[in-house]
């Protein structure tokens, strides 16, 4: 890495650190209803929504009721997105006259957006009408993020409240998250992005002339779209000329803003954030990266503030930041080192003043290696999953880190809400083992951790590896799973493994060579996304419900401090042990084997 | 002062004897039955794995093996050893308990009891076997008799040899009424006689409870143990998935790499057993049993494992002042005459009033008068004096001599006494009394007839080293609260001198109970000691309640721990033992999981050597061959169980250094050490295999 | 239960209108008002006519033009209605052979230059629409373009230098050259 590379990383982390406190404090204020400005000016709108929907904002919910509200809302959202895709041909705002999306793909996409995954088995600009993108996908970008935040806030209340029975009101938490946090930030970001060149229009795709007409060969197709083959069963190709370029546009900025802020990640265009209309300049790239990690990071502060001990939030933030940097370094290193196989092809991969060098396959020049690696690490440690470069083309070990981040459960910043509640579950496990080691029934934030919490925490850490490992195992055992891999050897295995890791972690990024728009993958990944989201959310709410009943144990010298560097190390160690140990062998058969083979050949 | 002496006093509690070992070896094999294995889910997985590889070995013998029969056999044998070692650890812990139980059972012989027809001395007796005694029966026990059952003395005073239970050879006095009225079956009356009302039915005596406890027959898992087991099962399931799915992955890899053979089931089972937390899984029940055993060695009987564990969680200790914080006896240290009274006159009266007082306080007054004022001890009977004994009603004592009534007693009692006689209580004396009380001493007012002569200062002597002990407790995060019947001023002064965090003065049973509830409401866990019947409600309320063995039956029933030495300071040891139990579990869990890192480096390159020989780069230990690498990991995994049995039985030492430092140290030893140790161990085993030409 | 579903339904309806219709419409309105050029695709106009988008690359293979990044879009390169990357794994032999072929093509067009080819010129971009190449890649092609157009090399190099966009604020991103804009400028040189 060059000096300027370090500067870019430092700038990002520095700006993030500056924003965490004000936003975190603001969010705590929002959930505790003590932002005077909002109470005066925005409350009428908020109350109007409640009246309209028959919600009593003062009603406090038991955890089961909270979970039920969350689940029913998410389920309806899923149905709405599914329906919208199926009937988009008959609805307005479809200038390219796209037909209905296939049922399998619609199911996959509906689940994908409701679960905050944003796995995309479709190409946005070639599939979805503007209305589907807005009223279906953008809406889910907001409310799935808000659902995650609501569940987190409920869990925080489990710690903060002393011997209570209820954990808040889902409708209120969800509404406030959307209205006071996600919407204002998105509006702001959307406009800044437009200023950088992100498109925002309802008009049809634009046709522009090509400076040099393009001559190319293509497989000849019959009228029905069938490939025409010659007597030897080889496809018949024809020479074609194009003089124009059809440029896809659309209301992208409004969707890109929330896809980053809500750690959703689903691109308006197929190339996602590598597309110049989603991410046109280094500044847009920088701001989008900040937007991706902002709320997950700031929620640490919110957490500290709401449990009445900011040091607790700081410790969690520190653990996340350390792990983030630890993951970023190898990605930067291996990507900058370039592809060893290209060393003897007469290609220059070294960085100098005139080029970033490194492994540029699948990367954009304006971002170079440093911002591509930074983005990849940020979007996979959070549950964002948008890409500004092709992860599939990353060098093996650099690609293994994002995959590892997914397998660790995306707790390094993580998704909005989901990252922190996942982290708190790890903290519960860390505290349990450590608590034993100091000779006390373990407690976290004054709440004793006992059998029930352990059971739920065990479920939370068991489910993702189960979904990933068993899902991948099934995929590699059946032909429908195997044929989808685009790359040969261990890399093809990595593609399949990555897909299940991404779906289970609700990330949405991909080793995109995998042809996943097939009945098998649409169904399997759809189910994995569903279970990966709600099989964690419900036990997390159960933990919240159990914790909230407990009396707070007063702090003494015998209490294990959970705000110290030692605890930070312990927490990181726990995440590593629980996460890495489960996946080491499978990674050995994918990226590690690929790397060692490449090095051996070289 | 307690643990060490108790241990030396009780050779029957040596860590492991030869006979226990022999017995444990046999039991380890007996525990191979599935119904026993099923109780420990982690080891049950190993058990199933062993059976599976045995079947694979037989298949290999038949010529259809997935790997060389010799290799499968070697792995299989070591897997069975792993199961056996776990059984062995448990059997040793049980063996020690059984030895303790056997010692106790020898106490519980069927003896003949003299059952009284009516509950009084001299009533007619019938002889029955002790096993036929029921609650409410009244017995006569005379010198030389073994007391046939637990009971309450209702008449008589006798010295009793309780060494059979406590190990303490000095006889104790048992008498009717008061706090020394309970007797334990199996102990022996040395002199005099007692009339005892039986308080327990056959099979439910104190000794029966002790035996049941140590035999662990009815041992239930404690809450913490359950939570830990859930975590361990969680880990086991994670690794089960990890290894089970390796088979399809391996098949796929062979297909795409077009090289090698799929990983064998034998290797996968070996990997699984290496990864799941077998170390802690194998030692978990031994640790729990050892915790109770350690309590026993400290001469404490726990009525449940839960109580031992809860002891580690205690954050408030209620300690009786007398006996725990101060030496039981107060000493006269000064004489403060009232105005117009000479010190000598006061000393003389004080000595006279105390001559017949055989309490240590009374003796100390006589000695003080003699040493400081040269007053020789006089023979009370020669003086023709009449004693007035202390009674709870008058709250004073003294003598009537030559028509003079010489009295000493509590200030308010004495004031009432002189004012009843129409005299005035001098305000200066009130001032003196308050001064003394403020110093933490007990004022004793002396009067002759209606004239107040002055005040004797009785000083509480705080035990040496107790202050340091309390500051140690503070570092452990435990608050100490002193309980005393003294008034607030006195209590405050002693509390300050002893360095307790808080005190409860003028304590009544109700006040104690209220205090415990108050602390519990704040989320604290409270431990206390008690001996009297009036302590029973508070003992029942406290989370950890240590009843003194000398105490009443009611107190013993209410407590969840019984201290056979009746040493109130032992509460501190109890807390430490409880912590030790949890620490040992936590440390071994950490160690067990940390071990996995190295095992991966041993097994993973070996398992896929044929498909991806490049993975050999991960063989950083340079293990000789793939098969020897796998075998070394399995052997290490089995041997580490045996190596850690002593630690499990002895427990990880607890040091009062504060939670943060303790965590750091234990993480370093068992976490970092747990990562490093197996690298060395596996390499050494591998070298040994090579040397023995087994690799 | 039923009232719960009813609430969920109403909430979904409210948020669909709020975040799915009002919000994008608001952003569109403001964007069209404040940044109409950017909001509509940053089109480059020459003499009132749109000649391309400043953000979307175009395919070039003529020796007299600077070539951009290889594009993996389907079915033809630089298909701006179906963006995408090659997704070739680093160890994929196809990647190796494609890179070799591209190096060959560059060398064939300029046989005298034996310097190593800048990597971005022979590897496909992430979007398939990358409008930029690195300054190194531009200077690498300068001699070929100059020869094909019978221009002095120094002039071409100066033109490139003028078209290098530095890091944003001197820090962010990488230095780059917009290929379409550079080629448009070339066409205007006479």
């Amino acid at each position: 890495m060059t000096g300027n590379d370090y500067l870019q990383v430092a700038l990002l982390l520095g700006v993030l650190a500056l924003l965490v406190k004000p936003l975190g404090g603001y969010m705590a204020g929002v959930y505790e209803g003590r932002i005077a400005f909002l109470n005066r000016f925005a409350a009428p709108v908020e109350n109007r929504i409640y009246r309209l929907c028959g919600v009593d904002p003062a009603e406090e919910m038991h955890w089961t009721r909270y979970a039920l509200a969350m689940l029913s809302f998410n389920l309806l959202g899923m149905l709405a997105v599914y329906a919208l895709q199926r009937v988009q041909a008959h609805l307005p705002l479809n200038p390219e006259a796209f037909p209905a999306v296939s049922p399998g793909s619609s199911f996959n996409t509906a689940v994908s957006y409701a679960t905050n995954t944003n796995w995309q088995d479709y190409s946005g600009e070639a599939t979805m009408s503007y209305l589907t993108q807005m009223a279906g996908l953008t809406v889910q970008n907001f409310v799935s993020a808000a659902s995650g935040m609501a569940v987190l806030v409920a869990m925080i209340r489990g710690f903060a409240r002393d011997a209570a029975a209820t954990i808040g009101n889902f409708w209120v938490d969800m509404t406030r998250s959307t209205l006071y946090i996600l919407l204002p930030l998105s509006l702001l970001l959307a406009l800044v992005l437009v200023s950088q060149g992100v498109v925002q229009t309802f008009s049809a795709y634009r046709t522009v002339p090509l400076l040099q007409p393009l001559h190319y060969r293509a497989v000849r197709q019959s009228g029905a779209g069938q490939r025409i083959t010659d007597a030897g069963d080889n496809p018949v190709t024809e020479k074609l000329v194009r003089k124009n370029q059809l440029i896809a546009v659309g209301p992208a900025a409004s969707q890109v803003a929330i896809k980053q802020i809500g750690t959703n990640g689903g691109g308006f265009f197929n190339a996602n954030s590598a597309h110049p209309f989603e991410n046109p300049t280094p500044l847009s790239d920088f701001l989008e990266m900040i937007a991706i990690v902002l709320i997950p990071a700031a929620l640490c502060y919110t957490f500290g503030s709401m449990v009445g001990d900011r040091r607790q939030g700081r410790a969690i933030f520190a653990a996340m930041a350390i792990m983030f940097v630890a993951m970023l370094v190898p990605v930067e290193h291996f990507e900058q080192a370039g592809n060893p196989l290209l060393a003897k092809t007469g290609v220059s991969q070294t960085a100098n003043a005139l080029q970033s060098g490194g492994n540029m396959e699948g990367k954009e020049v304006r971002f170079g290696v440093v911002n591509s690696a930074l983005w990849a690490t940020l979007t996979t440690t959070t549950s964002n999953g948008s890409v500004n470069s092709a992860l599939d083309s990353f060098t093996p070990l650099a690609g293994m880190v994002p995959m590892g981040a997914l397998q660790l459960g995306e707790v390094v910043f993580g998704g909005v809400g989901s990252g922190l509640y996942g982290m708190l579950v790890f903290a519960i496990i860390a505290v349990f083992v450590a608590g034993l080691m100091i000779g006390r029934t373990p407690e976290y934030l004054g709440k004793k951790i006992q059998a029930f919490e352990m059971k739920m925490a065990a479920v939370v850490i068991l489910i993702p590896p189960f979904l990933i490992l068993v899902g991948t195992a099934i995929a590699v055992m059946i032909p429908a799973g195997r044929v989808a891999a685009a790359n040969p050897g261990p890399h093809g295995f990595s593609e399949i493994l990555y897909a299940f890791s991404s779906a289970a972690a609700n990330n949405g990024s991909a080793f995109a060579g995998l042809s996943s728009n097939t009945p098998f993958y649409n169904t399997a990944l759809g189910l994995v996304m569903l279970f990966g989201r709600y099989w964690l959310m419900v036990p997390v709410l159960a933990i919240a419900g159990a914790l909230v009943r407990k009396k707070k144990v007063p702090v003494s010298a015998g209490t294990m401090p959970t705000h110290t560097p030692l605890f930070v190390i312990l927490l990181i160690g726990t995440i590593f042990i629980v996460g890495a140990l489960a996946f080491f062998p499978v990674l050995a058969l994918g990226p590690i084997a690929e790397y060692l083979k490449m090095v051996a050949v070289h | 002062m307690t643990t060490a002496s108790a241990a030396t006093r009780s050779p029957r509690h040596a860590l492991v004897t030869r006979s226990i070992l022999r017995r444990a070896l046999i039991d380890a094999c007996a525990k191979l039955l599935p119904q026993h294995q099923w109780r420990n889910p982690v080891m049950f997985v190993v058990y199933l794995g062993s059976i599976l590889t045995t079947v694979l070995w037989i298949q290999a013998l038949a010529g259809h093996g997935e790997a060389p029969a010799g290799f499968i056999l070697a792995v299989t044998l070591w897997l069975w050893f792993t199961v056996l070692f776990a059984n062995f650890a448990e059997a040793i812990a049980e063996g020690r308990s059984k030895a303790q139980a056997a010692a106790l059972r020898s106490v519980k012989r069927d003896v003949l009891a003299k059952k009284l027809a009516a509950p009084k001395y001299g009533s007619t007796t019938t002889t029955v076997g002790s096993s036929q005694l029921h609650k409410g029966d009244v017995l006569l026990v005379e010198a030389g008799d073994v007391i046939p059952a637990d009971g309450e003395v209702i008449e008589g005073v006798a010295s009793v040899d309780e060494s059979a239970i406590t190990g303490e050879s000095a006889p104790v006095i048992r008498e009717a009424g008061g706090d020394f009225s309970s007797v334990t079956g199996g102990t022996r009356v040395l002199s005099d006689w007692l009339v005892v009302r039986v308080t327990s039915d056959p099979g439910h005596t104190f000794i029966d409870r002790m035996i049941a406890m140590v035999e662990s027959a009815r041992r239930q898992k404690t809450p913490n143990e359950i939570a830990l087991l859930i975590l361990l099962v969680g880990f086991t399931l994670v690794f089960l998935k990890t290894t089970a799915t390796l088979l399809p992955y391996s098949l796929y890899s062979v297909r795409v790499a077009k090289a090698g053979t799929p990983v064998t089931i034998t290797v996968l089972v070996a990997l699984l057993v290496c990864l799941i937390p077998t170390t802690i899984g194998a030692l978990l029940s031994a640790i729990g049993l050892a915790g109770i055993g350690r309590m026993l060695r400290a001469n404490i009987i726990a009525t449940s494992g839960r109580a031992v564990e809860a002891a580690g969680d205690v954050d408030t200790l209620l300690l009786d002042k007398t006996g725990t914080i101060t030496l039981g006896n107060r000493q006269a240290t000064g004489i403060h005459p009232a105005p117009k009274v000479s010190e000598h006159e006061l000393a003389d009266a004080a000595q006279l009033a105390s001559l017949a007082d055989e309490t240590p306080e009374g003796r100390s007054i006589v000695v003080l008068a003699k040493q400081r004022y040269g007053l020789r001890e006089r023979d009370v009977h020669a003086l023709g004096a009449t004693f007035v004994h202390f009674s709870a009603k008058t709250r004073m004592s003294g003598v009537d001599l030559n028509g003079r009534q010489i009295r000493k007693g509590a200030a308010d009692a004495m004031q009432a006494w002189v004012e009843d006689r129409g005299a005035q209580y001098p305000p200066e004396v009130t001032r003196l009394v308050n001064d003394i009380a403020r110093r933490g001493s007990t004022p004793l007012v002396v009067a002759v007839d209606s004239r107040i002569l002055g005040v004797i200062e009785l000083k509480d002597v705080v035990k040496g080293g107790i202050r340091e002990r309390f500051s140690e407790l503070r570092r452990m995060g435990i608050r100490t609260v002193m309980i005393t019947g003294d008034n607030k001023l006195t209590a405050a002064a002693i509390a300050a001198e002893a360095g307790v965090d808080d005190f409860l003065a003028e304590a009544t049973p109700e006040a104690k109970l209220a205090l415990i509830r108050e602390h519990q409401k704040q989320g604290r866990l409270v431990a206390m000691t008690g001996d009297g019947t009036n302590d029973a409600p508070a003992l029942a309320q406290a989370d950890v309640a240590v009843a003194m063995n000398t105490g009443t039956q009611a107190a013993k029933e209410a407590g969840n721990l019984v201290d056979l030495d009746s040493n109130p300071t032992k509460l501190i040891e109890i807390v430490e033992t409880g912590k030790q139990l949890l620490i040992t579990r936590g440390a071994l869990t950490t160690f067990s999981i940390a071990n996995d890192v190295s095992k991966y480096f041993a097994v993973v390159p070996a398992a896929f050597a044929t498909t991806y020989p490049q993975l050999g780069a991960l063989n950083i230990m340079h293990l000789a061959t793939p098969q020897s690498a796998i075998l070394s990991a399995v052997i290490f995994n089995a041997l580490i169980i045996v190596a850690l049995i002593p630690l499990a039985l002895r427990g990880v030492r607890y040091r009062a250094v504060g939670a943060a430092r303790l965590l750091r140290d234990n993480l370093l030893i068992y976490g970092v050490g747990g990562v490093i140790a197996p690298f060395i161990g596996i390499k050494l085993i591998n070298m040994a295999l090579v040397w023995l030409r087994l690799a | 239960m039923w009232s719960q579903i009813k609430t969920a339904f109403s909430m979904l309806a409210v948020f669909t209108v709020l975040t799915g219709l009002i919000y994008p419409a608001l952003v569109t309105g403001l964007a069209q008002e404040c940044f109409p050029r950017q909001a509509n695709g940053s089109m480059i106009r020459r003499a009132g006519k749109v000649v391309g988008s400043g953000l979307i690359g175009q395919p070039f293979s003529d020796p007299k033009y600077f070539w951009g990044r290889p594009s993996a879009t389907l079915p033809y390169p630089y298909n701006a209605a179906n963006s995408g990357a090659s997704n070739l794994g680093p160890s994929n032999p196809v990647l190796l052979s494609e890179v070799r072929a591209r190096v060959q093509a560059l060398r064939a067009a300029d046989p005298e230059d034996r310097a190593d080819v800048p990597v971005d010129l022979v590897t496909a971009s992430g979007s398939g629409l990358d409008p930029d190449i690195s300054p190194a890649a531009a200077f690498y092609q300068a001699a070929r373009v100059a020869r094909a157009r019978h221009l002095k090399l120094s002039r071409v190099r100066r033109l490139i230098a003028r078209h290098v966009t530095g890091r944003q604020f001197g820090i962010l991103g990488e230095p780059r050259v917009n290929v379409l804009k550079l080629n448009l400028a070339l066409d205007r040189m006479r």
Side-chain angles (χ1 to χ4, degrees), chain A residues 152-474:
Chain A
L152 170 69
V153 170
M155 190 183 199
I156 295 177
R157 291 199 187 102
F159 286 110
R161 291 183 177 174
D162 195 0
T166 56
I167 53 174
N169 182 312
F170 172 75
W171 304 118
V172 173
D173 293 336
M174 204 275 299
T175 304
R176 290 197 174 156
S177 303
T178 311
L179 222 49
Y180 298 153
I181 300 167
L182 298 172
L183 255 180
L185 285 174
S186 301
L187 196 58
L188 190 69
L189 181 66
L191 288 176
V192 179
L193 289 180
V194 173
S195 81
Q196 292 299 301
V198 178
V199 291
Q200 179 73 22
T201 171
F202 291 139
S203 43
Y205 294 177
R206 305 283 302 263
T207 304
V208 301
L210 285 175
L211 194 54
Q212 179 200 333
L214 173 69
H215 298 267
Y216 68 104
R217 294 193 79 87
V219 176
R220 186 182 281 169
Q221 295 189 331
S222 71
Q226 298 256 289
R227 300 162 109 210
I228 297 175
T229 53
D230 62 15
D233 212 27
N234 296 311
V236 177
T237 59
E238 57 186 337
K239 269 188 128 167
L240 294 169
V241 181
R242 286 197 76 88
K243 293 195 166 130
N244 292 317
Q245 189 180 31
L246 180 67
I247 299 181
V249 291
S254 55
Q255 186 169 340
V256 170
I258 182 61
K259 90 163 189 193
Q260 309 300 30
I261 284 170
T263 62
N264 301 281
F268 190 90
F269 301 106
N270 187 42
N272 208 308
S273 294
H275 196 292
F277 279 166
E278 281 206 22
N279 193 2
T281 65
L283 178 65
S284 69
D285 191 69
F286 182 81
L287 292 175
E288 287 183 32
M289 282 196 283
I290 290 282
I292 284 164
V293 70
L294 183 60
I295 291 181
L299 280 171
C300 296
Y301 188 89
T302 308
F303 162 69
S305 174
M306 286 180 78
V307 299
D309 184 355
R310 303 216 167 116
R311 299 170 309 174
Q312 305 292 346
R314 224 173 292 152
I316 299 279
F317 179 81
M320 290 177 168
I322 292 169
M323 290 180 75
F324 173 72
V325 172
M327 289 190 200
L328 175 64
V329 170
V331 183
E332 295 278 5
H333 170 78
F334 287 109
E335 282 305 277
Q336 189 64 66
N339 186 338
L341 297 183
L342 299 190
K344 293 215 175 92
T345 53
V347 172
S348 159
Q349 299 188 82
T350 34
N352 58 43
L354 296 178
Q355 68 165 12
S356 73
N359 174 27
M360 283 300 285
E361 179 68 29
K363 292 190 181 55
E364 300 280 296
V365 167
R366 61 192 178 284
F367 308 135
V369 165
V370 63
N371 282 307
S372 300
L374 190 53
W375 183 289
T377 315
L378 263 184
T379 51
T380 49
T381 50
T382 65
S383 97
N384 185 283
S386 63
V387 290
N388 75 350
S389 58
L391 295 176
D392 211 348
S393 298
F394 272 37
T395 51
L397 294 186
M400 182 177 79
V401 174
M403 185 156 28
L406 309 181
Q407 291 161 347
L408 289 184
E410 264 177 2
V411 292
V412 179
F413 300 119
V416 285
S418 63
L420 187 51
Y421 67 62
M423 189 65 152
L424 291 177
V425 170
F426 273 114
I428 286 175
I429 289 172
V431 156
F432 181 80
V433 176
L436 289 182
M437 274 200 287
I438 59 163
R440 260 167 85 110
T441 294
E443 67 210 42
Y444 186 47
L445 304 171
K447 300 285 183 140
K448 285 219 154 92
I449 306 300
Q450 287 157 319
F452 181 77
E453 292 80 33
M454 264 340 269
K455 210 178 286 173
M456 291 300 130
V459 168
V460 171
I461 61 163
L462 272 173
I463 296 289
F466 177 80
L467 296 173
I468 296 169
L469 293 172
V470 175
T472 308
I474 292 171

Side-chain angles (χ1 to χ4, degrees), chain A residues 76-99:
Chain A
L76 283 179
M78 244 171 259
L79 293 176
V81 177
Y82 180 84
L84 205 49
Q85 293 176 85
R86 300 289 295 135
V87 299
Q88 68 173 11
H90 310 293
L91 294 175
L93 283 171
N94 185 7
E96 303 305 314
F98 290 129

Side-chain angles (χ1 to χ4, degrees), chain B residues 10 43 46 64 77 123 137 140 168 178 315 395 406 411 475 521 578 592 611 647 672 674:
Chain B
S10 320
M43 294 315 294
V46 183
H64 311 291
L77 282 178
S123 163
D137 290 346
L140 173 68
E168 184 68 69
D315 41 22
R395 290 160 64 218
I406 308 173
R475 281 202 299 279
K521 213 154 110 198
S592 198
T611 312
L647 182 70
V672 178

Side-chain angles (χ1 to χ4, degrees), chain A residues 488-531:
Chain A
H491 196 86
F493 181 68
S494 298
E495 286 183 333
I496 298 171
L497 177 62
Y498 195 101
F500 283 94
S501 304
S502 176
N506 296 135
N507 182 275
S509 66
F511 275 15
L514 187 79
S515 323
S516 66
N517 193 356
T518 65
F520 169 72
Y521 280 104
N522 276 335
T523 313
L525 295 176
L527 291 175
V528 168
M529 288 188 274
L530 271 181
F531 296 143

Side-chain angles (χ1 to χ4, degrees), chain A residues 1-11 336 351-352 370, chain C residues 167 170-174:
Chain A
M1 283 171 81
T2 64
N4 190 72
D5 294 351
Y6 287 108
L7 204 61
Q8 297 200 51
V9 175
L11 190 68
Q336 189 64 66
N352 58 43
V370 63
Chain C
R167 293 198 165 94
I171 299 175
L172 298 178
E174 302 291 337

